[in-house]
Amino acid sequence: MDLRQMRYFVAVARERNFTRAAQMLHIAQPPLSRQIQLLEEELGVELIIRKSRPIRLTDAGRLFYEQALQVLGRVDQMRAATRRVGLNQNSVLSIGFVASTLYGGLPPLVRKLRKHAPELDIQLLELISVQQLPALKEGRIDIGIGRLRHSDPNVIGTVLRDERLVVAVPQGSPLSMALTPLPVAALDAQRVIVYPKEPRPSYADQVLSLLHRHDVRPVEVQEVREIQTALGLVAAEAGVCIIPSSARQMRSDVHYRLLEGEGATSPVILNHRVGDTSVYITLVKKLIAEMYAENPPLSTSCCTFPPGEK
């Protein structure tokens, strides 16, 4: 499979006609049909139903079309960004982030960064914490904002804050009858939903370790891929879910209570490569310190930059 075959397939899927797609691509129809056929042979599935008029995509074809659009869009962005950097038109800063930070400090940080460095091309890539370290070392991202502490000697990790945790419970359940903080031990014998399901280790392991330290034994643990799915299941009364306090705004149809107890926090960690002296990393640290000084987050501690690293 190559990018040319992807572009050919996307053109056919859009036009729903081989002849029009060939005209748009400025090639003859036979080689276009042949490339689509080779693509199907490589994938081992049929992508297009050719007997219908206009042609239709199979279920596999629709999935491949959606994925191909994303891949080709990313390639176009990469090409444009590389060209801009090569022509000294602007610099690129790639930030990997865990989804929960979208409901906390990441959006205002990016807004401040765009204001202070308008020449900067900021690229945001959702990566869970365990994926960020290899992405940093491979140069795919410049900064990672995650939730897992690590001991990798090639990556500097700075704890920005220890964020308080809350438990999301179904509305109308016995646990939703109060607004006061809830002891972790009160979750014993509950159905608990954790995320992400994989890869591990992840935030899910932090939650399970917290329950274990407080001798909490859930009657059932359900693992799901995303925080959105977990909170949707809570709304459907399938269980309870422990999330960072900043993510409470995600859904209004569940009840949230702060957790109290030793270790009922989750770190927010800024990671970057050892020896990376980029002025933009220094700027990011400065802006984060300013943000927390202006609006202290709900946490037990925050902004612990070592001396000289702001």
Side-chain angles (χ1 to χ4, degrees):
M1 183 192 314
D2 58 33
L3 292 178
R4 181 185 59 171
Q5 289 177 330
M6 279 192 191
R7 294 190 189 279
Y8 284 1
F9 174 77
V10 166
V12 172
R14 281 175 172 166
E15 296 297 325
R16 302 180 70 186
N17 182 284
F18 276 92
T19 301
R20 288 198 302 270
Q23 292 171 348
M24 186 188 73
L25 293 167
H26 305 292
I27 62 173
Q29 181 176 334
L32 172 61
S33 299
R34 178 57 179 162
Q35 287 300 318
I36 301 299
Q37 183 180 16
L38 290 173
L39 178 62
E40 290 177 317
E41 291 176 358
E42 180 177 351
L43 294 171
V45 295
E46 187 179 50
L47 299 175
I48 295 173
I49 301 174
R50 293 167 172 79
K51 295 180 180 179
S52 65
R53 292 293 181 272
I55 62 172
R56 294 187 294 113
L57 300 182
T58 63
D59 290 342
R62 284 192 292 271
L63 173 63
F64 188 81
Y65 175 66
E66 294 170 0
Q67 297 293 323
L69 287 177
Q70 295 181 34
V71 170
L72 294 174
R74 180 62 180 149
V75 168
D76 290 341
Q77 292 175 4
M78 181 176 61
R79 180 185 294 113
T82 302
R83 181 172 176 79
R84 287 195 298 269
V85 172
L87 295 175
N88 295 318
Q89 292 178 344
N90 65 357
S91 299
V92 176
L93 183 73
S94 296
I95 301 176
F97 65 93
V98 293
S100 60
T101 58
L102 283 176
Y103 304 94
L106 182 60
L109 170 63
V110 173
R111 289 195 297 268
K112 282 180 173 288
L113 197 53
R114 293 190 194 281
K115 180 179 178 180
H116 285 78
E119 77 284 359
L120 193 59
D121 182 4
I122 302 171
Q123 298 182 354
L124 299 171
L125 182 63
E126 183 181 352
L127 294 171
I128 68 171
S129 299
V130 74
Q131 295 171 329
Q132 292 181 16
L133 297 186
L136 279 167
K137 291 186 285 188
E138 294 165 10
R140 291 185 284 121
I141 60 174
D142 302 298
I143 287 175
I145 301 178
R147 291 189 177 274
L148 278 185
R149 289 181 169 87
H150 66 85
S151 57
D152 193 310
N154 299 306
V155 177
I156 294 175
T158 303
V159 177
L160 301 179
R161 71 180 189 272
D162 285 304
E163 184 175 0
R164 290 287 300 275
L165 296 176
V166 301
V167 57
V169 302
Q171 290 184 347
S173 70
L175 292 179
S176 72
M177 296 297 113
L179 298 175
T180 55
L182 184 72
V184 176
L187 298 180
D188 192 50
Q190 294 287 326
R191 288 183 172 84
V192 176
I193 303 161
V194 299
Y195 68 91
K197 183 177 183 179
E198 56 186 14
R200 306 291 275 271
S202 69
Y203 174 76
D205 299 291
Q206 291 183 9
V207 169
L208 294 175
S209 295
L210 172 66
L211 297 179
H212 179 73
R213 290 196 302 272
H214 287 263
D215 200 29
V216 171
R217 295 179 173 83
V219 67
E220 179 184 343
V221 174
Q222 182 174 358
E223 299 181 353
V224 298
R225 295 187 181 277
E226 301 175 341
I227 184 173
Q228 294 90 342
T229 305
L231 290 177
L233 289 175
V234 173
E237 302 181 353
V240 303
C241 180
I242 297 173
I243 65 171
S245 59
S246 59
R248 285 179 291 184
Q249 59 186 292
M250 290 186 65
R251 292 190 74 107
S252 60
D253 56 351
V254 299
H255 185 79
Y256 300 101
R257 292 180 66 178
L258 276 173
L259 276 182
E260 64 177 11
E262 183 181 356
T265 60
S266 176
V268 179
I269 302 173
L270 177 72
N271 294 302
H272 64 84
R273 288 181 292 274
V274 168
D276 192 334
T277 57
S278 167
V279 295
Y280 296 116
I281 292 179
T282 301
L283 177 60
V284 165
K285 293 180 177 181
K286 176 177 178 291
L287 294 177
I288 290 173
E290 290 177 356
M291 285 170 49
Y292 287 171
E294 294 168 0
N295 297 292
L298 182 63
S299 60
T300 57
S301 62
C302 75
C303 258
T304 55
F305 289 119
E309 283 205 6
K310 291 185 181 179

